[in-house]
Amino acid sequence: MEFKNPQEELGRFRHRLAFAGGFVLVCFALLLARFVWLQVIQHDYYQTRAEDNRISLVPVVPNRGLIVDRNGVVLARNYSAYTLEITPSKVKNLEEVIDELAKILDIQPKDRKRFHKLLTESKNFESMPIRTRLSDVEVATFIANRYRFPGVDIKARLFRQYPFAAFASHMLGYIGRINDRDLEKIEEREVEDNYRGTEHFGKTGLEQHYEFELHGTTGFEQVEVDAGGRAVRTLARTAPVAGNNLALTIDAKLQEIAEKAFGDRKGALVAIEPTTGGILALVSVPNYDPNLFVDGIDSQSWRDLNDSPDKPMVNRALNGTYPPGSTFKPFMALGALTLGKRRPEQVIADPGFFNFGGHIFMDDKKGGHGPVDMYKSIVQSCNTYYYMLASDMGIDNMASFMGSIGLGSRTGVDIDGESEGVLPSPAWKKKRFKKPEQQKWYAGETISIGIGQGYNAYTPIQLAQAIATLANNGVMFRPHLVKHITDTRSGKQTPVEPHPVKTLPWKQEHIDVIKNAMVGVNKEGTGARAFAGAEYASGGKTGTAQVYSLKGGQYKKDSVKKELRDHSLFIAFAPAEQPTIALAVLVENGGFGAQAAAPIARQVFDYYLLGKVPKSAAPADEAAVGEEQ
Amino acid sequence: MIANLWRKLVAPIDGPLMAIAGLLLLIALVTLASASPERVMTLLAHVAVALTVMRIVAQIPPQRLMHLALPMFLLGIVLLVAVAFFGDISKGARRWLNLGFMRIQPSELLKIAMPLMLAWYFQKHEATLRLRDYAVAALLLLIPVALIARQPDLGTAILVFSAGFFVIFFAGLPWKVIIGLGAAGLAAAPFAWGHLHDYQRGRILTLFDPERDPLGKGFHIIQSTIAIGSGGILGKGWGQGTQAQLEFIPERHTDFIFAVYSEEFGLLGNIILLVLYALLVGRGLMIAANAATLFARLVAGAVTLIFFTYAFVNMGMVSGILPVVGVPLPLVSYGGTALVTLFSGIGILMSIHKNRMLVQK
């Protein structure tokens, strides 16, 4: 047996103790290093993370700006309504709760669908609507049962409303739930923060164009939340700033009269204040009810609107392109004067047709108008005069003059998606067609373009801008709908120009010749029946746009299907001496310009100048047999 | 008369140890009052019981303790086996034994019984210590550790194992063997990995990359490191820790109370805590160095290092450098059983210190 030395054993033990003590110190030093790393070196990072944990920014959505007409009539507003909202983090079994709610309130499958869609998109401590627009009875029913539904509550939210429903809808547009395309726009402008909490976005019309004016500045509540996402207290609140209000150049009453004047016909009307470019009425009928879109349109209504042969969703004033027909003639005449191709008193003989290299272009009037000067060519809408003029001017001159008054290019009106139309020229044809044989310009094409037919295709707003420019003696303005934007907080009004876009190099004597002839149209020409007995002098020009090519056959109204009947056009200004209103009217399949379009213009002028309110829609003047096309 | 009584009462109590433990209890009280004020009264009750137990244990001379070693150890083993067969399951682990009137956790008993048992064994074979005795001791150690690890309760298994290992280490296990076993352990690590429970593997993986599962297993560690880091040098102030007050810290009155303390008292508070534990360990090692018998020396050294193990593992896991195992912060974490166990340990140290000369004579 080995002999042990107790003293040696104790010494060895104490060595081990010392070693253990050293080990302990090393381990504690390790911990200390870790604490220094976390609490000194990385402190800022962890401080931020702790704050992120604790503080949640809850957006407070601002009130959307109002849209009012030039007299303050409200066209788009917000109203407060009760919604039933669920805070998912406070609810254990969502489906059960919704089933229970459905027993006391009307909850449709589409409400559930929408709720689940919202659920996947948002954080679970925000409350989300399961039902919107509760009636007072429903609110009372829920409140009586509230104790059974922790995490479910009633909240007041703001909704967009268009009080006149199907009225000026193409101009106002509508808002709808934000989609991916809207998000792209928001990201493009880098305003994501300002759209936190916002559910709606302008989709069309003014709501779309002025989205970022109308939206306002989102407020924020700094809320302290616990680990379960429950709000503990509000730390700070930045109040939202309501969006800017839009005051329009539109006169709502005039707009209403213009819309009603169409009756159940389709068409468009654009009335402009010539001295500013401010749009007084912008009509596209049929209308639709923009309220349908605010909370997501149901599929049935959407199908009805989209599949309707009347195409109510199309804004005809900006996106319908039509041949101008004879409304082209005053501009042709002005071009001829400006270019020195005609003098006003120069007379041509009209045998009832124009022979262009063996090809016969017919006049409407059998046997022709006889000797025709410029005045007569406009008043009686003589085609032969313009066949000859077109031949003398040539297509390039015509295209450059018509282009100068804005035909064939976007006017820049404050609604997005305006169409360009077609200003025909050899250059345009080259671009438009691919095959070489299609690209060739035929001299005969120039002739029919001279009377506003052929490839000519312009939007009603382009025609309105052109006639407004003429009425304003060549000073051109950009047509616009918003008169001024009002900052809701300061009340400061920012006016939208008018600065003239350009002043056309026209001689006043030439302008007067054309205006005088157009006054003649309404006094003794194709517009005389519509303007019989008017207490003011006005200038106008009728037009008929061919929908259906007759290929030399006789046009008989009754034998042609309604969809193939010609479009009726009218451009006009009044009062003749100092025009305060200029307009373009288009009635689809309305027949001759004098028949359908001119009576509508008469009602609009009568109200605007005299305050006369018509009793019914403008009657179609079946007896007005136009001699023009 | 009263002064006499008091003198008798405090006679076996070691001043320095008591002072250190008292300061740690103060930290426990202050932190709990912030983390979970409704538990403060219960903590005071726990403290009263634990101090009483300490006083009683301090009264027991080491020789008596030595006689208790074997019976306590055997009782512990029997209870552990009973747990394995009849134990209650809670949170997926079979750790508790229901006696009808109360539920006990037998593994807690082993934390004290284990070092006593091994120290007793070495004392018994003091004169003839050979390598074979170390092997027997290792076997005695591994039986309960295996039973506890199977429950599964990795935290307690680690504590019991280290308690026993410290005894063997202080008993003079040759360095060659220690290094050899360490190397073998490292080599066997991949094999051991296959035997871990999924949740245990998850905890280890989470340690290396807490963001792997930020809302699941990583959540605890992420939130506690945020709490510690955001505390900074001076801390956010008592009751001002947002991580703690808004309940981002899990288990904030028990295993993760250090995160609460560290958030509110900062690096400065942490240094104070480390110093207190270092003093506790220092005092314990001093007691061990001066102990009268091999048994006393081994027990004092092991019990002292147990405190270190608790403190190191707990602070290491809460600050994210060790995997999450259920080890409380000694004397600070809320929990009556652990507090009684720890104060029994202090009582043993006190007893050994009081009796350092008696037997030597």
Side-chain angles (χ1 to χ4, degrees), chain A residues 30-45:
Chain A
L30 203 69
L31 283 179
L32 186 65
R34 175 67 174 168
F35 299 153
V36 170
W37 171 255
L38 291 177
Q39 298 187 300
V40 182
I41 297 162
Q42 295 273 67
H43 171 251
D44 289 346
Y45 167 73

Side-chain angles (χ1 to χ4, degrees), chain A residues 215-274:
Chain A
H215 179 268
T217 309
T218 298
F220 282 95
E221 261 182 7
Q222 268 195 359
V223 178
E224 191 172 74
V225 292
D226 67 13
R230 288 168 289 267
V232 179
R233 63 195 162 118
T234 300
L235 301 172
R237 188 186 146 93
T238 314
V241 179
N244 295 336
N245 292 343
L246 302 182
L248 304 186
T249 56
I250 292 290
D251 179 330
K253 187 69 192 165
L254 186 74
Q255 173 85 16
E256 186 196 341
I257 284 163
E259 287 189 10
K260 283 192 176 153
F262 278 84
D264 54 6
R265 291 169 291 187
K266 297 171 286 177
L269 177 149
V270 181
I272 295 178
E273 190 173 56

Side-chain angles (χ1 to χ4, degrees), chain A residues 269-586:
Chain A
L269 177 149
V270 181
I272 295 178
E273 190 173 56
T275 51
T276 61
I279 297 175
L280 299 167
L282 188 135
V283 175
S284 173
V285 282
N287 263 317
Y288 58 88
D289 181 357
N291 291 306
L292 288 174
F293 291 87
V294 174
D295 262 306
I297 188 164
D298 61 283
S299 45
Q300 182 59 45
S301 310
W302 178 243
R303 266 202 304 278
D304 289 351
L305 283 173
N306 264 319
D307 297 349
S308 164
D310 290 344
K311 299 201 184 319
M313 297 305 293
V314 174
N315 185 351
R316 290 171 162 81
L318 269 62
N319 298 113
T321 59
Y322 309 88
S326 298
T327 61
F328 206 53
K329 287 171 182 167
F331 304 112
M332 279 291 290
L334 185 59
L337 292 173
T338 305
L339 293 166
K341 296 286 179 187
R342 286 288 184 280
R343 280 172 287 109
E345 64 281 5
Q346 218 171 326
V347 173
I348 62 118
D350 172 17
F353 61 88
F354 175 62
N355 185 339
F356 183 74
H359 189 93
I360 303 296
F361 288 86
M362 293 299 295
D363 202 305
D364 269 2
K365 193 171 179 181
K366 260 204 173 131
H369 294 269
V372 180
D373 64 359
M374 188 170 275
Y375 179 84
K376 192 175 168 189
S377 78
I378 291 174
V379 170
Q380 294 191 4
S381 201
C382 171
N383 282 353
T384 307
Y385 186 93
Y386 290 95
Y387 291 146
M388 289 176 177
L389 180 54
S391 170
D392 290 351
M393 278 174 79
I395 185 64
D396 289 327
N397 276 334
M398 283 157 60
S400 91
F401 183 81
M402 294 306 168
S404 77
I405 54 172
L407 296 180
S409 50
R410 296 189 183 92
T411 62
V413 67
D414 38 0
I415 289 181
D416 298 347
E418 189 186 356
S419 296
E420 219 168 24
V422 175
L423 175 67
S425 70
W428 164 81
K429 215 177 170 191
K430 239 183 196 128
K431 247 171 55 188
R432 170 69 180 75
F433 295 106
K434 286 210 178 73
K435 290 181 188 161
E437 63 269 26
Q438 287 175 319
Q439 287 179 333
K440 189 175 184 307
W441 186 266
Y442 297 98
E445 290 173 331
T446 308
I447 308 303
S448 44
I449 283 165
I451 60 160
Q453 307 292 356
Y455 291 120
N456 277 312
Y458 307 118
T459 60
I461 196 169
Q462 286 170 358
L463 292 175
Q465 185 188 32
I467 185 62
T469 305
L470 175 62
N472 201 33
N473 300 325
V475 182
M476 184 189 257
F477 286 92
R478 183 179 70 89
H480 58 272
L481 289 158
V482 172
K483 195 173 182 190
H484 53 77
I485 297 170
T486 311
D487 184 319
T488 41
R489 201 166 33 170
S490 64
K492 198 180 141 244
Q493 296 186 344
T494 312
V496 172
E497 1 110 68
H499 296 298
V501 176
K502 60 182 170 185
T503 303
L504 290 156
W506 299 340
K507 287 203 171 112
Q508 190 59 44
E509 53 187 285
H510 294 158
I511 295 168
D512 290 340
V513 168
I514 306 300
K515 280 186 172 175
N516 185 44
M518 288 182 74
V519 171
V521 169
N522 283 2
K523 232 185 250 166
E524 50 173 330
T526 50
R529 287 176 63 91
F531 281 87
E535 294 162 44
Y536 48 86
S538 61
K541 182 69 195 85
T542 55
T544 305
Q546 287 173 347
V547 173
Y548 180 65
S549 178
L550 288 162
K551 297 253 158 86
Q554 195 64 33
Y555 181 88
K556 278 208 190 74
K557 191 191 74 187
D558 299 329
S559 63
V560 178
K561 279 197 223 154
K562 183 142 193 255
E563 309 90 74
L564 299 177
R565 282 175 65 177
D566 292 340
H567 297 325
S568 168
L569 286 117
F570 193 65
I571 59 171
F573 58 86
E577 313 76 43
Q578 244 344 298
T580 54
I581 181 168
L583 55 69
V585 187
L586 170 112

Side-chain angles (χ1 to χ4, degrees), chain B residues 24-356:
Chain B
L24 287 167
L25 283 178
L26 191 68
I27 287 175
L29 192 71
V30 168
T31 311
L32 190 70
S34 167
S36 182
E38 71 278 6
R39 289 190 167 89
V40 166
M41 289 317 288
T42 324
L43 173 69
L44 292 176
H46 289 165
V47 168
V49 172
L51 287 178
T52 309
V53 169
M54 178 197 80
R55 171 64 183 73
I56 293 167
V57 172
Q59 184 87 21
I60 305 173
Q63 298 94 316
R64 289 278 306 282
L65 281 174
M66 205 163 81
H67 292 134
L68 285 172
L70 187 58
M72 268 172 76
F73 180 74
L74 291 177
L75 177 68
I77 297 289
V78 168
L79 289 176
L80 279 179
V81 171
V83 166
F85 286 104
F86 316 110
D88 282 359
I89 297 177
S90 109
K91 291 182 191 168
R94 196 185 287 272
R95 297 175 185 173
W96 301 85
L97 199 59
N98 199 332
L99 300 181
F101 60 96
M102 65 178 289
R103 283 187 351 148
I104 60 165
Q105 201 176 343
S107 54
E108 199 67 28
L109 179 65
L110 266 300
K111 286 178 186 169
I112 296 294
M114 193 73 240
L116 290 183
M117 174 65 196
L118 292 183
W120 168 81
Y121 180 82
F122 284 117
Q123 172 80 59
K124 227 177 134 223
H125 298 86
E126 187 184 12
T128 61
L129 214 53
R130 299 174 190 189
L131 210 55
R132 197 196 61 174
D133 295 312
Y134 295 108
V136 173
L139 196 67
L140 287 174
L141 171 60
L142 290 177
I143 291 167
V145 167
L147 283 170
I148 296 167
R150 261 183 51 93
Q151 289 181 344
D153 186 350
L154 205 55
T156 310
I158 286 170
L159 289 174
V160 171
F161 174 80
S162 31
F165 173 78
F166 295 144
V167 175
I168 298 175
F169 171 74
F170 286 129
L173 181 66
W175 283 110
K176 281 183 284 187
V177 179
I178 296 174
I179 293 163
L181 283 176
L186 275 180
F191 174 76
W193 179 255
H195 282 258
L196 286 176
H197 285 260
D198 282 344
Y199 85 96
Q200 290 167 335
R201 277 185 224 170
R203 282 174 177 183
I204 293 171
L205 286 176
T206 301
L207 175 73
F208 294 115
D209 181 15
E211 308 286 345
R212 193 173 71 104
D213 183 11
L215 292 176
K217 297 180 185 79
F219 184 81
H220 288 27
I221 289 298
I222 292 173
Q223 294 305 333
S224 63
T225 39
I226 290 174
I228 296 171
S230 66
I233 294 173
L234 297 176
K236 296 178 185 171
W238 181 79
Q240 304 295 307
T242 55
Q243 288 285 104
Q245 304 303 324
L246 297 170
E247 302 175 20
F248 286 97
I249 301 175
E251 308 282 338
R252 62 191 190 287
H253 59 284
T254 54
D255 287 358
F256 281 78
I257 197 165
F258 175 66
V260 177
Y261 172 78
S262 191
E263 183 184 21
E264 299 191 348
F265 298 102
L267 182 63
L268 198 66
N270 290 355
I271 291 172
I272 291 172
L273 196 64
L274 281 178
V275 167
L276 285 175
Y277 284 127
L279 288 175
L280 185 72
V281 170
R283 180 69 185 160
L285 293 180
M286 222 174 89
I287 290 172
N290 296 318
T293 62
L294 177 63
F295 172 80
R297 288 204 291 269
L298 296 181
V299 168
V303 167
T304 302
L305 287 196
I306 279 288
F307 277 90
F308 155 74
T309 310
Y310 267 99
F312 180 69
V313 170
N314 180 274
M315 288 190 277
M317 82 178 188
V318 175
S319 64
I321 55 172
L322 291 177
V324 176
V325 287
V327 173
L329 187 63
L331 305 182
V332 179
S333 280
Y334 177 86
T337 317
L339 201 64
V340 168
T341 308
L342 289 163
F343 269 104
S344 308
I346 293 178
I348 290 172
L349 285 177
M350 288 176 173
S351 154
I352 289 171
H353 187 60
K354 265 287 122 66
N355 295 288
R356 65 190 180 278

